[in-house]
């Protein structure tokens, strides 16, 4: 039987991030994708592509999680953008009601268009209520700096941040240097409490590509749902996101968007 991969994430209507990238990734990697939507983000073409953000009612999120986990046997879930303290409390409570083999958390901290005050509340709620439940956490440079207190500027500080986040109680930390750190390689680091594993790929193109972080975490989730161990899951996910960046689409926004189609698993 096909394995089920579940995401609790926001909709990004243009298809370049959030639940849309998750479901495409799940499908391309041969899993059966299931979504509980937490919020709806609509870029505003009249306002510099700012994010218009609407949370889904907390009870409706609870209902979706109940529906998905009642219909299917699900033991692997990805947590993407949650958006508000109320949403986070509901998701944390629903996660606590069930047994999970893996909870992959992409700690989406800020989204343009949210009020800064509200965003701080949201960041704290995420740190207090969701982080302790994560088995795998996938912070980018900004998120790794915020969560660890280490200013990440290079590979060494990225590793130090991963170590500090592991000390907060996260078993596997995938700290993403991505295209942000200097050098001609995009380097991500896995820390499991014992050793660091580096995943490297040449940087692709000059433009920022939306959806790479969501895609990496979704690909890790799909591989874990199929039974891979964490190191293998991250290795395949790194190859998957690298190809999704190579295959990207160039829309009307100032950034490109990943495309998950046509994955060649022999390159992983
Ligand atoms: O890439 C972060 C992200 C996650 N989820 C949703 C988003 C975004 C960024 O736009 O809109 C729904």
């Amino acid at each position: 039987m096909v394995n089920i991969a579940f995401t609790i994430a926001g909709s990004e209507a243009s298809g370049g991030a959030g639940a849309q990238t998750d479901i495409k990734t799940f499908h391309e990697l041969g899993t059966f994708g299931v979504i509980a939507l937490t919020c709806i983000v609509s870029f505003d073409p009249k306002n510099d592509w700012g994010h218009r953000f609407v949370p889904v009612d907390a009870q409706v999120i609870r209902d979706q999680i109940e529906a998905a986990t009642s219909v299917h046997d699900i033991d692997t879930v990805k947590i993407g953008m949650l958006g508000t303290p109320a949403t986070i409390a509901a998701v944390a409570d629903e996660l606590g009601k069930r047994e999970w083999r893996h909870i992959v958390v992409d700690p989406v901290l800020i989204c343009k268009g949210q009020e800064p005050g509200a965003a701080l509340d949201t960041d704290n709620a995420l740190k207090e209520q969701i982080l302790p439940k994560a088995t795998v956490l996938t912070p980018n440079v900004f998120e790794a700096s915020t969560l660890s207190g280490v200013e990440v500027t290079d590979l060494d500080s990225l590793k130090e941040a991963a170590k500090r986040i592991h000390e907060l109680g996260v078993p596997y930390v995938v700290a993403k240097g991505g295209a942000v750190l200097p050098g001609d390689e995009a380097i991500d680091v896995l820390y499991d409490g014992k050793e660091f594993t580096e995943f490297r790929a040449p940087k692709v193109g000059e433009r920022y590509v939306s959806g790479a972080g969501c895609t990496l975490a979704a690909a890790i989730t799909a591989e874990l749902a199929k039974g891979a161990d964490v190191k293998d899951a991250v290795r395949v996910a790194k190859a998957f996101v690298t190809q999704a960046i190579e295959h990207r689409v160039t829309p009307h926004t100032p950034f490109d968007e990943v495309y998950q189609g046509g994955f060649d698993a022999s390159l992983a």
Side-chain angles (χ1 to χ4, degrees):
M1 250 232 331
V2 66
N3 299 99
I4 313 284
F6 183 30
T7 185
I8 302 176
S11 166
E12 192 280 89
S14 82
Q20 284 85 346
T21 64
D22 293 349
I23 198 97
K24 289 182 245 181
T25 301
F26 291 166
H27 188 80
E28 187 69 24
L29 287 172
T31 58
F32 182 99
V34 176
I35 299 174
L37 271 193
T38 56
C39 59
I40 298 179
V41 171
S42 317
F43 294 156
D44 186 352
K46 303 178 293 306
N47 183 23
D48 193 23
W49 308 102
H51 293 198
R52 293 174 290 198
F53 164 84
V54 180
V56 170
D57 180 81
Q59 184 57 47
V60 178
I61 299 172
R62 288 179 181 274
D63 293 348
Q64 294 175 81
I65 296 172
E66 182 185 33
T69 55
S70 303
V71 169
H72 299 290
D73 287 325
I74 298 179
D75 65 6
T76 308
V77 60
K78 179 200 148 176
I79 311 296
M81 185 171 163
L82 297 177
T84 72
T87 307
I88 288 168
V91 170
D93 187 50
E94 291 298 325
L95 288 175
K97 291 181 185 171
R98 295 166 181 88
E99 297 276 323
W100 303 96
R101 200 162 49 84
H102 273 296
I103 299 180
V104 179
V105 177
D106 192 16
V108 181
L109 285 187
I110 46 166
C111 167
K112 274 197 288 178
Q114 284 184 283
E115 294 160 44
L120 191 63
D121 280 0
T122 303
D123 294 0
N124 288 335
L126 190 80
K127 207 168 164 175
E128 284 161 19
Q129 297 173 50
I130 301 291
L131 219 80
K133 296 187 185 301
T135 59
V136 181
L137 191 83
T138 61
N140 61 24
V141 164
F142 171 74
E143 293 153 355
S145 300
T146 306
L147 294 172
S148 68
V150 175
E151 194 196 340
V152 175
T153 53
D154 57 14
L155 185 57
D156 283 344
S157 47
L158 185 69
K159 287 181 173 175
E160 181 58 29
K163 208 168 180 179
R164 300 260 186 109
I165 295 169
H166 179 269
E167 284 162 7
L168 297 175
V170 180
Y172 297 94
V173 180
V174 182
K176 302 175 290 190
V180 174
L181 297 182
D184 48 18
E185 283 181 314
I187 307 175
D188 305 326
V189 171
L190 168 65
Y191 184 63
D192 62 4
K194 293 190 207 73
E195 59 175 12
F196 292 100
T197 309
E198 294 175 13
F199 300 89
R200 293 168 177 264
K203 286 183 183 170
V204 183
E206 296 299 320
R207 271 159 66 95
Y208 174 78
V209 185
S210 167
C214 300
T215 299
L216 183 88
I220 293 171
T221 307
E223 291 303 300
L224 292 174
K226 291 191 288 187
D229 68 25
V230 174
K231 203 184 280 187
D232 272 337
V234 178
R235 183 180 52 75
V236 172
K238 178 71 173 176
F240 188 85
V241 75
T242 302
Q243 292 184 36
I245 293 168
E246 283 165 359
H247 299 158
R248 68 194 181 275
V249 298
T250 298
H252 300 301
T253 43
F255 48 83
D256 292 345
E257 294 184 343
V258 282
Y259 174 58
Q260 291 83 359
F263 175 56
D264 181 351
S266 72
L267 300 176

